[in-house]
Amino acid sequence: MDREAYRNCSSLVKMPRQSYEQFWSSHFVDYIDKELSYSKFFKKYLLPNHPCMFSRRFTEDWKCRKQWVTEEGKPHFQKLLQEFDETPVPVANCNAKEYNANPKQVMPFKEFIHYWKEYIQNGHSSPKGCLYLKDWHMSRDFAEHSVYATPVFFSSDWLNEYWDTLELDDYRFVYMGPKGSWTPFHADVFRSYSWSANICGRKKWLLYPPGQEEFLRDAHGNLPYDVTSSELQDRGLFPHREKACQPLEIIQEAGEIIFVPSGWHHQVYNLEDTISINHNWLNGCNVDIMWQFLQNELSSVQKEIDEWRNTMDSWHQHCQVIMKACSGINFAEFASFLKIISDNRMAFLNACSSGDSPDYPRHLSETLTTLGPYHAAFDLQRVAHVLECLLCNEDFKRLDQSTLALQPETMLQQIRDTIQTTRGQHLLYQE
């Protein structure tokens, strides 16, 4: 990557409200149907946190678009059954509400396909309700299949890099659902980015830019389950609804990929029988948004159990435990996350300088090499910025520092030393 793409990007700020309003006035999303450099995507969409849509030409070579789809553009049930048959998969019931989501069950893949075929034959209805296979870790469970390739635009993916290193989890999913299946109103995990590719079928997206969701809260401060519900017209229940902008409505066709920016709340409908591949991902452009989200999550936990603050010596530690149970991560794990990301980039930059081969997985080496040393330097500067924020955070200071995988002061110095050394080798951009 060229150094100009990352010049003056080391100190990012959230997009000002007026910029979102300026974007909103255009009422459209850029449709990308030709070659686009990573640098342009980085500057035009990642940094300003703007949605966009990639045309089907970016997925036309994927095996799943040929093997999972019939000539008529429908899900190829026979081929899918041959591949996955008895595989246990998570299935949600779109007709049932559990808190602000749909309850899930695990069933054999072939049972879901049998249901789906019957659902279609019965005019897209069933006494079982509308079932939706979602959040299936197909890529993790069938890594040898290689039925798609992550586009380079979404390859700076700290979230999956971290979980791949731990070999515990990932945020790469397959969704399969009949016409009428849907996902309730939400923002993505840790306020990450997401990209979603339709293998077949069509989706309707309703998107709200960051901040607009505050106007959609009810009188108790809760977000709606369904933003299209007539309940939202009740001023007594939703007192600020009229202040919210109209959602950005996007129709996504087969083969297209939508980029959903960080912190944009959305609701999604399958307009036809649809299969999609979805990734959640984070990088240096939105890690500060993740850090703000984690602070907000901890604050919410602290408010919930504030009455026990003075009766428990380990109250702050309990808050971290509860936060991890609710959010999937706490401050200590966030520090571990930052350490793995920075260690990989320091190893890469030092290898660029010395000519040695760094010791990490081949696919990560290929990604870092493709994005180049300027991107790695940008990443390190973003990690350093968040580390400085951690050092100023009172709740982080209360953690038992001896148990942390990362000592922030030490890591900061290592990052600065690496940047200084590699800058001397003309690997980094000059300020």
Side-chain angles (χ1 to χ4, degrees), residues 17 208 211-224 231-246:
R17 179 182 176 83
Y208 290 85
Q212 289 294 312
E213 74 279 1
E214 296 303 322
F215 299 128
L216 300 174
R217 293 187 183 276
D218 65 19
H220 304 289
N222 301 311
L223 289 172
E231 283 187 347
L232 272 74
Q233 305 308 315
D234 184 339
R235 292 186 180 181
L237 188 56
F238 292 90
H240 306 294
R241 172 65 184 87
E242 292 184 350
K243 298 178 183 178
C245 66
Q246 290 299 308

PDB file of all heavy atoms in Angstrom, residues 17 208 211-224 231-246:
ATOM      1  N   ARG A  17     -21.265  14.782  13.446  1.00  0.00           N
ATOM      2  CA  ARG A  17     -22.681  14.608  13.142  1.00  0.00           C
ATOM      3  C   ARG A  17     -23.049  15.274  11.821  1.00  0.00           C
ATOM      4  O   ARG A  17     -23.796  14.718  11.021  1.00  0.00           O
ATOM      5  CB  ARG A  17     -23.519  15.187  14.291  1.00  0.00           C
ATOM      6  CG  ARG A  17     -25.018  15.074  14.031  1.00  0.00           C
ATOM      7  CD  ARG A  17     -25.795  15.700  15.166  1.00  0.00           C
ATOM      8  NE  ARG A  17     -27.212  15.675  14.888  1.00  0.00           N
ATOM      9  CZ  ARG A  17     -28.012  14.659  15.104  1.00  0.00           C
ATOM     10  NH1 ARG A  17     -27.511  13.543  15.604  1.00  0.00           N
ATOM     11  NH2 ARG A  17     -29.303  14.716  14.841  1.00  0.00           N
ATOM     12  N   TYR A 208     -29.393   2.838  10.163  1.00  0.00           N
ATOM     13  CA  TYR A 208     -29.364   4.132  10.840  1.00  0.00           C
ATOM     14  C   TYR A 208     -27.924   4.459  11.220  1.00  0.00           C
ATOM     15  O   TYR A 208     -27.233   3.609  11.798  1.00  0.00           O
ATOM     16  CB  TYR A 208     -30.194   4.091  12.119  1.00  0.00           C
ATOM     17  CG  TYR A 208     -31.686   4.008  11.918  1.00  0.00           C
ATOM     18  CD1 TYR A 208     -32.319   2.781  11.726  1.00  0.00           C
ATOM     19  CD2 TYR A 208     -32.472   5.155  11.947  1.00  0.00           C
ATOM     20  CE1 TYR A 208     -33.693   2.700  11.564  1.00  0.00           C
ATOM     21  CE2 TYR A 208     -33.855   5.087  11.783  1.00  0.00           C
ATOM     22  CZ  TYR A 208     -34.456   3.851  11.588  1.00  0.00           C
ATOM     23  OH  TYR A 208     -35.823   3.771  11.438  1.00  0.00           O
ATOM     24  N   GLY A 211     -25.769   7.185  16.511  1.00  0.00           N
ATOM     25  CA  GLY A 211     -26.423   8.268  17.239  1.00  0.00           C
ATOM     26  C   GLY A 211     -27.920   8.299  17.026  1.00  0.00           C
ATOM     27  O   GLY A 211     -28.677   8.678  17.930  1.00  0.00           O
ATOM     28  N   GLN A 212     -28.379   7.889  15.848  1.00  0.00           N
ATOM     29  CA  GLN A 212     -29.812   7.922  15.567  1.00  0.00           C
ATOM     30  C   GLN A 212     -30.588   6.923  16.425  1.00  0.00           C
ATOM     31  O   GLN A 212     -31.767   7.142  16.727  1.00  0.00           O
ATOM     32  CB  GLN A 212     -30.063   7.633  14.085  1.00  0.00           C
ATOM     33  CG  GLN A 212     -29.652   8.752  13.150  1.00  0.00           C
ATOM     34  CD  GLN A 212     -30.498  10.001  13.355  1.00  0.00           C
ATOM     35  OE1 GLN A 212     -31.711   9.936  13.411  1.00  0.00           O
ATOM     36  NE2 GLN A 212     -29.829  11.143  13.487  1.00  0.00           N
ATOM     37  N   GLU A 213     -29.912   5.850  16.836  1.00  0.00           N
ATOM     38  CA  GLU A 213     -30.606   4.845  17.655  1.00  0.00           C
ATOM     39  C   GLU A 213     -31.069   5.421  18.993  1.00  0.00           C
ATOM     40  O   GLU A 213     -32.033   4.919  19.594  1.00  0.00           O
ATOM     41  CB  GLU A 213     -29.699   3.626  17.889  1.00  0.00           C
ATOM     42  CG  GLU A 213     -28.573   3.815  18.869  1.00  0.00           C
ATOM     43  CD  GLU A 213     -27.349   4.508  18.288  1.00  0.00           C
ATOM     44  OE1 GLU A 213     -27.390   4.876  17.090  1.00  0.00           O
ATOM     45  OE2 GLU A 213     -26.365   4.681  19.020  1.00  0.00           O
ATOM     46  N   GLU A 214     -30.415   6.503  19.446  1.00  0.00           N
ATOM     47  CA  GLU A 214     -30.810   7.099  20.733  1.00  0.00           C
ATOM     48  C   GLU A 214     -32.231   7.653  20.672  1.00  0.00           C
ATOM     49  O   GLU A 214     -32.950   7.648  21.669  1.00  0.00           O
ATOM     50  CB  GLU A 214     -29.822   8.194  21.128  1.00  0.00           C
ATOM     51  CG  GLU A 214     -28.406   7.695  21.375  1.00  0.00           C
ATOM     52  CD  GLU A 214     -28.342   6.614  22.450  1.00  0.00           C
ATOM     53  OE1 GLU A 214     -29.085   6.720  23.449  1.00  0.00           O
ATOM     54  OE2 GLU A 214     -27.570   5.649  22.267  1.00  0.00           O
ATOM     55  N   PHE A 215     -32.649   8.135  19.500  1.00  0.00           N
ATOM     56  CA  PHE A 215     -34.008   8.663  19.344  1.00  0.00           C
ATOM     57  C   PHE A 215     -35.051   7.547  19.267  1.00  0.00           C
ATOM     58  O   PHE A 215     -36.253   7.805  19.379  1.00  0.00           O
ATOM     59  CB  PHE A 215     -34.099   9.519  18.082  1.00  0.00           C
ATOM     60  CG  PHE A 215     -33.177  10.714  18.091  1.00  0.00           C
ATOM     61  CD1 PHE A 215     -32.317  10.946  17.026  1.00  0.00           C
ATOM     62  CD2 PHE A 215     -33.159  11.591  19.164  1.00  0.00           C
ATOM     63  CE1 PHE A 215     -31.457  12.030  17.026  1.00  0.00           C
ATOM     64  CE2 PHE A 215     -32.306  12.681  19.173  1.00  0.00           C
ATOM     65  CZ  PHE A 215     -31.456  12.908  18.100  1.00  0.00           C
ATOM     66  N   LEU A 216     -34.586   6.317  19.064  1.00  0.00           N
ATOM     67  CA  LEU A 216     -35.498   5.193  18.911  1.00  0.00           C
ATOM     68  C   LEU A 216     -35.716   4.433  20.218  1.00  0.00           C
ATOM     69  O   LEU A 216     -36.460   3.448  20.251  1.00  0.00           O
ATOM     70  CB  LEU A 216     -34.970   4.232  17.840  1.00  0.00           C
ATOM     71  CG  LEU A 216     -34.808   4.840  16.438  1.00  0.00           C
ATOM     72  CD1 LEU A 216     -34.137   3.831  15.511  1.00  0.00           C
ATOM     73  CD2 LEU A 216     -36.154   5.272  15.869  1.00  0.00           C
ATOM     74  N   ARG A 217     -35.089   4.870  21.278  1.00  0.00           N
ATOM     75  CA  ARG A 217     -35.249   4.204  22.569  1.00  0.00           C
ATOM     76  C   ARG A 217     -36.631   4.498  23.147  1.00  0.00           C
ATOM     77  O   ARG A 217     -37.182   5.588  22.949  1.00  0.00           O
ATOM     78  CB  ARG A 217     -34.170   4.648  23.552  1.00  0.00           C
ATOM     79  CG  ARG A 217     -32.769   4.203  23.156  1.00  0.00           C
ATOM     80  CD  ARG A 217     -31.749   4.524  24.239  1.00  0.00           C
ATOM     81  NE  ARG A 217     -30.396   4.169  23.824  1.00  0.00           N
ATOM     82  CZ  ARG A 217     -29.878   2.949  23.933  1.00  0.00           C
ATOM     83  NH1 ARG A 217     -30.612   1.972  24.476  1.00  0.00           N
ATOM     84  NH2 ARG A 217     -28.656   2.699  23.528  1.00  0.00           N
ATOM     85  N   ASP A 218     -37.158   3.521  23.886  1.00  0.00           N
ATOM     86  CA  ASP A 218     -38.458   3.740  24.516  1.00  0.00           C
ATOM     87  C   ASP A 218     -38.292   4.535  25.809  1.00  0.00           C
ATOM     88  O   ASP A 218     -37.169   4.955  26.151  1.00  0.00           O
ATOM     89  CB  ASP A 218     -39.178   2.406  24.758  1.00  0.00           C
ATOM     90  CG  ASP A 218     -38.460   1.498  25.758  1.00  0.00           C
ATOM     91  OD1 ASP A 218     -37.621   1.989  26.538  1.00  0.00           O
ATOM     92  OD2 ASP A 218     -38.756   0.286  25.761  1.00  0.00           O
ATOM     93  N   ALA A 219     -39.378   4.738  26.517  1.00  0.00           N
ATOM     94  CA  ALA A 219     -39.358   5.568  27.722  1.00  0.00           C
ATOM     95  C   ALA A 219     -38.468   4.973  28.816  1.00  0.00           C
ATOM     96  O   ALA A 219     -38.059   5.680  29.744  1.00  0.00           O
ATOM     97  CB  ALA A 219     -40.779   5.755  28.244  1.00  0.00           C
ATOM     98  N   HIS A 220     -38.151   3.681  28.714  1.00  0.00           N
ATOM     99  CA  HIS A 220     -37.289   3.017  29.698  1.00  0.00           C
ATOM    100  C   HIS A 220     -35.834   2.940  29.227  1.00  0.00           C
ATOM    101  O   HIS A 220     -34.994   2.356  29.906  1.00  0.00           O
ATOM    102  CB  HIS A 220     -37.816   1.606  29.982  1.00  0.00           C
ATOM    103  CG  HIS A 220     -39.240   1.572  30.434  1.00  0.00           C
ATOM    104  ND1 HIS A 220     -39.642   2.011  31.681  1.00  0.00           N
ATOM    105  CD2 HIS A 220     -40.370   1.182  29.791  1.00  0.00           C
ATOM    106  CE1 HIS A 220     -40.957   1.874  31.798  1.00  0.00           C
ATOM    107  NE2 HIS A 220     -41.419   1.380  30.664  1.00  0.00           N
ATOM    108  N   GLY A 221     -35.569   3.480  28.049  1.00  0.00           N
ATOM    109  CA  GLY A 221     -34.203   3.471  27.532  1.00  0.00           C
ATOM    110  C   GLY A 221     -33.849   2.268  26.691  1.00  0.00           C
ATOM    111  O   GLY A 221     -32.683   2.094  26.319  1.00  0.00           O
ATOM    112  N   ASN A 222     -34.828   1.424  26.378  1.00  0.00           N
ATOM    113  CA  ASN A 222     -34.566   0.208  25.598  1.00  0.00           C
ATOM    114  C   ASN A 222     -34.721   0.461  24.101  1.00  0.00           C
ATOM    115  O   ASN A 222     -35.614   1.198  23.672  1.00  0.00           O
ATOM    116  CB  ASN A 222     -35.531  -0.899  26.014  1.00  0.00           C
ATOM    117  CG  ASN A 222     -35.417  -1.239  27.481  1.00  0.00           C
ATOM    118  OD1 ASN A 222     -34.315  -1.445  27.986  1.00  0.00           O
ATOM    119  ND2 ASN A 222     -36.547  -1.291  28.174  1.00  0.00           N
ATOM    120  N   LEU A 223     -33.871  -0.189  23.307  1.00  0.00           N
ATOM    121  CA  LEU A 223     -33.989  -0.099  21.854  1.00  0.00           C
ATOM    122  C   LEU A 223     -35.133  -0.975  21.370  1.00  0.00           C
ATOM    123  O   LEU A 223     -35.464  -1.993  21.987  1.00  0.00           O
ATOM    124  CB  LEU A 223     -32.683  -0.544  21.190  1.00  0.00           C
ATOM    125  CG  LEU A 223     -31.492   0.405  21.335  1.00  0.00           C
ATOM    126  CD1 LEU A 223     -30.228  -0.248  20.798  1.00  0.00           C
ATOM    127  CD2 LEU A 223     -31.758   1.720  20.622  1.00  0.00           C
ATOM    128  N   PRO A 224     -35.754  -0.615  20.249  1.00  0.00           N
ATOM    129  CA  PRO A 224     -36.868  -1.423  19.733  1.00  0.00           C
ATOM    130  C   PRO A 224     -36.396  -2.758  19.173  1.00  0.00           C
ATOM    131  O   PRO A 224     -35.264  -2.895  18.720  1.00  0.00           O
ATOM    132  CB  PRO A 224     -37.459  -0.538  18.628  1.00  0.00           C
ATOM    133  CG  PRO A 224     -36.320   0.318  18.182  1.00  0.00           C
ATOM    134  CD  PRO A 224     -35.499   0.578  19.414  1.00  0.00           C
ATOM    135  N   GLU A 231     -45.847   0.298  17.104  1.00  0.00           N
ATOM    136  CA  GLU A 231     -45.625   0.743  18.484  1.00  0.00           C
ATOM    137  C   GLU A 231     -44.788   2.020  18.540  1.00  0.00           C
ATOM    138  O   GLU A 231     -44.948   2.839  19.443  1.00  0.00           O
ATOM    139  CB  GLU A 231     -44.912  -0.337  19.296  1.00  0.00           C
ATOM    140  CG  GLU A 231     -45.784  -1.488  19.733  1.00  0.00           C
ATOM    141  CD  GLU A 231     -45.047  -2.423  20.680  1.00  0.00           C
ATOM    142  OE1 GLU A 231     -43.803  -2.304  20.776  1.00  0.00           O
ATOM    143  OE2 GLU A 231     -45.693  -3.275  21.311  1.00  0.00           O
ATOM    144  N   LEU A 232     -43.885   2.169  17.576  1.00  0.00           N
ATOM    145  CA  LEU A 232     -42.993   3.326  17.594  1.00  0.00           C
ATOM    146  C   LEU A 232     -43.740   4.633  17.357  1.00  0.00           C
ATOM    147  O   LEU A 232     -43.173   5.715  17.582  1.00  0.00           O
ATOM    148  CB  LEU A 232     -41.869   3.174  16.570  1.00  0.00           C
ATOM    149  CG  LEU A 232     -40.615   2.447  17.094  1.00  0.00           C
ATOM    150  CD1 LEU A 232     -40.861   0.959  17.236  1.00  0.00           C
ATOM    151  CD2 LEU A 232     -39.409   2.715  16.214  1.00  0.00           C
ATOM    152  N   GLN A 233     -44.982   4.564  16.901  1.00  0.00           N
ATOM    153  CA  GLN A 233     -45.766   5.781  16.705  1.00  0.00           C
ATOM    154  C   GLN A 233     -46.380   6.272  18.016  1.00  0.00           C
ATOM    155  O   GLN A 233     -46.939   7.367  18.059  1.00  0.00           O
ATOM    156  CB  GLN A 233     -46.885   5.512  15.682  1.00  0.00           C
ATOM    157  CG  GLN A 233     -46.389   4.969  14.342  1.00  0.00           C
ATOM    158  CD  GLN A 233     -45.287   5.824  13.730  1.00  0.00           C
ATOM    159  OE1 GLN A 233     -45.390   7.055  13.717  1.00  0.00           O
ATOM    160  NE2 GLN A 233     -44.241   5.174  13.225  1.00  0.00           N
ATOM    161  N   ASP A 234     -46.285   5.478  19.060  1.00  0.00           N
ATOM    162  CA  ASP A 234     -46.807   5.847  20.379  1.00  0.00           C
ATOM    163  C   ASP A 234     -45.816   6.782  21.066  1.00  0.00           C
ATOM    164  O   ASP A 234     -44.768   6.348  21.539  1.00  0.00           O
ATOM    165  CB  ASP A 234     -47.027   4.580  21.210  1.00  0.00           C
ATOM    166  CG  ASP A 234     -47.670   4.867  22.567  1.00  0.00           C
ATOM    167  OD1 ASP A 234     -47.596   6.019  23.034  1.00  0.00           O
ATOM    168  OD2 ASP A 234     -48.236   3.929  23.150  1.00  0.00           O
ATOM    169  N   ARG A 235     -46.150   8.071  21.132  1.00  0.00           N
ATOM    170  CA  ARG A 235     -45.234   9.056  21.700  1.00  0.00           C
ATOM    171  C   ARG A 235     -44.986   8.820  23.185  1.00  0.00           C
ATOM    172  O   ARG A 235     -43.929   9.176  23.706  1.00  0.00           O
ATOM    173  CB  ARG A 235     -45.783  10.464  21.488  1.00  0.00           C
ATOM    174  CG  ARG A 235     -45.792  10.913  20.033  1.00  0.00           C
ATOM    175  CD  ARG A 235     -46.220  12.362  19.927  1.00  0.00           C
ATOM    176  NE  ARG A 235     -46.234  12.824  18.553  1.00  0.00           N
ATOM    177  CZ  ARG A 235     -46.550  14.065  18.190  1.00  0.00           C
ATOM    178  NH1 ARG A 235     -46.885  14.950  19.118  1.00  0.00           N
ATOM    179  NH2 ARG A 235     -46.546  14.413  16.911  1.00  0.00           N
ATOM    180  N   GLY A 236     -45.968   8.241  23.850  1.00  0.00           N
ATOM    181  CA  GLY A 236     -45.785   7.956  25.264  1.00  0.00           C
ATOM    182  C   GLY A 236     -44.745   6.880  25.490  1.00  0.00           C
ATOM    183  O   GLY A 236     -43.971   6.946  26.446  1.00  0.00           O
ATOM    184  N   LEU A 237     -44.704   5.904  24.585  1.00  0.00           N
ATOM    185  CA  LEU A 237     -43.749   4.799  24.713  1.00  0.00           C
ATOM    186  C   LEU A 237     -42.402   5.131  24.083  1.00  0.00           C
ATOM    187  O   LEU A 237     -41.349   4.750  24.604  1.00  0.00           O
ATOM    188  CB  LEU A 237     -44.336   3.551  24.059  1.00  0.00           C
ATOM    189  CG  LEU A 237     -43.576   2.238  24.260  1.00  0.00           C
ATOM    190  CD1 LEU A 237     -43.391   1.933  25.740  1.00  0.00           C
ATOM    191  CD2 LEU A 237     -44.315   1.091  23.571  1.00  0.00           C
ATOM    192  N   PHE A 238     -42.442   5.859  22.953  1.00  0.00           N
ATOM    193  CA  PHE A 238     -41.201   6.250  22.258  1.00  0.00           C
ATOM    194  C   PHE A 238     -41.204   7.769  22.091  1.00  0.00           C
ATOM    195  O   PHE A 238     -41.529   8.294  21.016  1.00  0.00           O
ATOM    196  CB  PHE A 238     -41.108   5.553  20.896  1.00  0.00           C
ATOM    197  CG  PHE A 238     -40.910   4.062  20.985  1.00  0.00           C
ATOM    198  CD1 PHE A 238     -42.007   3.204  21.021  1.00  0.00           C
ATOM    199  CD2 PHE A 238     -39.639   3.519  21.063  1.00  0.00           C
ATOM    200  CE1 PHE A 238     -41.840   1.829  21.123  1.00  0.00           C
ATOM    201  CE2 PHE A 238     -39.454   2.142  21.159  1.00  0.00           C
ATOM    202  CZ  PHE A 238     -40.563   1.293  21.194  1.00  0.00           C
ATOM    203  N   PRO A 239     -40.838   8.496  23.154  1.00  0.00           N
ATOM    204  CA  PRO A 239     -41.007   9.954  23.184  1.00  0.00           C
ATOM    205  C   PRO A 239     -40.149  10.736  22.201  1.00  0.00           C
ATOM    206  O   PRO A 239     -40.469  11.882  21.882  1.00  0.00           O
ATOM    207  CB  PRO A 239     -40.649  10.315  24.631  1.00  0.00           C
ATOM    208  CG  PRO A 239     -39.789   9.193  25.115  1.00  0.00           C
ATOM    209  CD  PRO A 239     -40.314   7.971  24.432  1.00  0.00           C
ATOM    210  N   HIS A 240     -39.055  10.144  21.696  1.00  0.00           N
ATOM    211  CA  HIS A 240     -38.129  10.891  20.818  1.00  0.00           C
ATOM    212  C   HIS A 240     -38.139  10.374  19.383  1.00  0.00           C
ATOM    213  O   HIS A 240     -37.298  10.780  18.579  1.00  0.00           O
ATOM    214  CB  HIS A 240     -36.714  10.841  21.386  1.00  0.00           C
ATOM    215  CG  HIS A 240     -36.618  11.303  22.811  1.00  0.00           C
ATOM    216  ND1 HIS A 240     -36.863  12.604  23.187  1.00  0.00           N
ATOM    217  CD2 HIS A 240     -36.315  10.612  23.951  1.00  0.00           C
ATOM    218  CE1 HIS A 240     -36.711  12.715  24.498  1.00  0.00           C
ATOM    219  NE2 HIS A 240     -36.391  11.528  24.983  1.00  0.00           N
ATOM    220  N   ARG A 241     -39.068   9.478  19.050  1.00  0.00           N
ATOM    221  CA  ARG A 241     -39.084   8.831  17.736  1.00  0.00           C
ATOM    222  C   ARG A 241     -39.082   9.838  16.584  1.00  0.00           C
ATOM    223  O   ARG A 241     -38.409   9.628  15.567  1.00  0.00           O
ATOM    224  CB  ARG A 241     -40.326   7.930  17.635  1.00  0.00           C
ATOM    225  CG  ARG A 241     -40.574   7.339  16.250  1.00  0.00           C
ATOM    226  CD  ARG A 241     -39.461   6.386  15.841  1.00  0.00           C
ATOM    227  NE  ARG A 241     -39.640   5.884  14.498  1.00  0.00           N
ATOM    228  CZ  ARG A 241     -39.208   6.482  13.406  1.00  0.00           C
ATOM    229  NH1 ARG A 241     -38.577   7.647  13.501  1.00  0.00           N
ATOM    230  NH2 ARG A 241     -39.383   5.938  12.218  1.00  0.00           N
ATOM    231  N   GLU A 242     -39.793  10.944  16.729  1.00  0.00           N
ATOM    232  CA  GLU A 242     -39.920  11.899  15.621  1.00  0.00           C
ATOM    233  C   GLU A 242     -38.600  12.607  15.302  1.00  0.00           C
ATOM    234  O   GLU A 242     -38.454  13.185  14.232  1.00  0.00           O
ATOM    235  CB  GLU A 242     -41.004  12.924  15.934  1.00  0.00           C
ATOM    236  CG  GLU A 242     -42.413  12.327  15.950  1.00  0.00           C
ATOM    237  CD  GLU A 242     -43.480  13.372  16.164  1.00  0.00           C
ATOM    238  OE1 GLU A 242     -43.115  14.530  16.486  1.00  0.00           O
ATOM    239  OE2 GLU A 242     -44.680  13.049  16.033  1.00  0.00           O
ATOM    240  N   LYS A 243     -37.656  12.561  16.233  1.00  0.00           N
ATOM    241  CA  LYS A 243     -36.356  13.203  16.000  1.00  0.00           C
ATOM    242  C   LYS A 243     -35.444  12.335  15.124  1.00  0.00           C
ATOM    243  O   LYS A 243     -34.453  12.842  14.580  1.00  0.00           O
ATOM    244  CB  LYS A 243     -35.660  13.486  17.334  1.00  0.00           C
ATOM    245  CG  LYS A 243     -36.409  14.447  18.242  1.00  0.00           C
ATOM    246  CD  LYS A 243     -35.653  14.625  19.559  1.00  0.00           C
ATOM    247  CE  LYS A 243     -36.415  15.516  20.527  1.00  0.00           C
ATOM    248  NZ  LYS A 243     -35.707  15.650  21.832  1.00  0.00           N
ATOM    249  N   ALA A 244     -35.759  11.058  15.026  1.00  0.00           N
ATOM    250  CA  ALA A 244     -34.902  10.142  14.263  1.00  0.00           C
ATOM    251  C   ALA A 244     -35.110  10.338  12.762  1.00  0.00           C
ATOM    252  O   ALA A 244     -36.212  10.614  12.299  1.00  0.00           O
ATOM    253  CB  ALA A 244     -35.213   8.692  14.640  1.00  0.00           C
ATOM    254  N   CYS A 245     -34.037  10.199  12.020  1.00  0.00           N
ATOM    255  CA  CYS A 245     -34.133  10.277  10.564  1.00  0.00           C
ATOM    256  C   CYS A 245     -34.802   9.009  10.030  1.00  0.00           C
ATOM    257  O   CYS A 245     -34.923   8.005  10.730  1.00  0.00           O
ATOM    258  CB  CYS A 245     -32.740  10.419   9.949  1.00  0.00           C
ATOM    259  SG  CYS A 245     -31.688   8.959  10.183  1.00  0.00           S
ATOM    260  N   GLN A 246     -35.244   9.047   8.806  1.00  0.00           N
ATOM    261  CA  GLN A 246     -35.738   7.842   8.156  1.00  0.00           C
ATOM    262  C   GLN A 246     -34.559   6.916   7.881  1.00  0.00           C
ATOM    263  O   GLN A 246     -33.454   7.373   7.579  1.00  0.00           O
ATOM    264  CB  GLN A 246     -36.450   8.195   6.850  1.00  0.00           C
ATOM    265  CG  GLN A 246     -37.768   8.918   7.038  1.00  0.00           C
ATOM    266  CD  GLN A 246     -38.771   8.071   7.809  1.00  0.00           C
ATOM    267  OE1 GLN A 246     -39.027   6.930   7.466  1.00  0.00           O
ATOM    268  NE2 GLN A 246     -39.322   8.639   8.882  1.00  0.00           N
TER     269      GLN A 246
END
